[in-house]
Amino acid sequence: ESSLIIYPNPSSDYINIQSDQADNIVSEIRILDMAGRELLVQSNIKLGYAAIQLDVSELSKGAYVLEISSENERVSRKINILD
């Protein structure tokens, strides 16, 4: 079970990513389109209990894959972007 909370989904402007572990270090966050093309990358983020926000307002309406890599786990979730 992942320790990551991703909300809101669907979204039109921001996606929040939060951990339920205080010391969670995220090495990389990527958003990919359904063809696997990398659209957004953020690296070396100390997540902890605080949520980080990803700006998804520039993405077109549709489905994407949010991929989060940390020292403990690698999580992929489908996210939906609205107009």
Side-chain angles (χ1 to χ4, degrees), residues 26-83:
V26 171
S27 56
E28 188 173 74
I29 296 173
R30 303 187 321 152
I31 294 182
L32 311 168
D33 66 14
M34 296 314 273
R37 289 186 295 263
E38 195 172 87
L39 303 175
L40 183 139
V41 179
Q42 286 192 10
S43 300
N44 298 320
I45 303 149
K46 180 162 178 37
L47 193 52
Y49 292 125
I52 61 161
Q53 276 193 338
L54 291 181
D55 183 352
V56 295
S57 62
E58 297 296 315
L59 296 177
S60 301
K61 179 180 177 181
Y64 297 87
V65 175
L66 176 64
E67 194 173 87
I68 304 166
S69 301
S70 71
E71 53 196 15
N72 305 335
E73 61 188 337
R74 183 172 169 173
V75 176
S76 293
R77 297 269 174 81
K78 184 178 171 188
I79 59 171
N80 293 295
I81 304 302
L82 306 174
D83 285 336

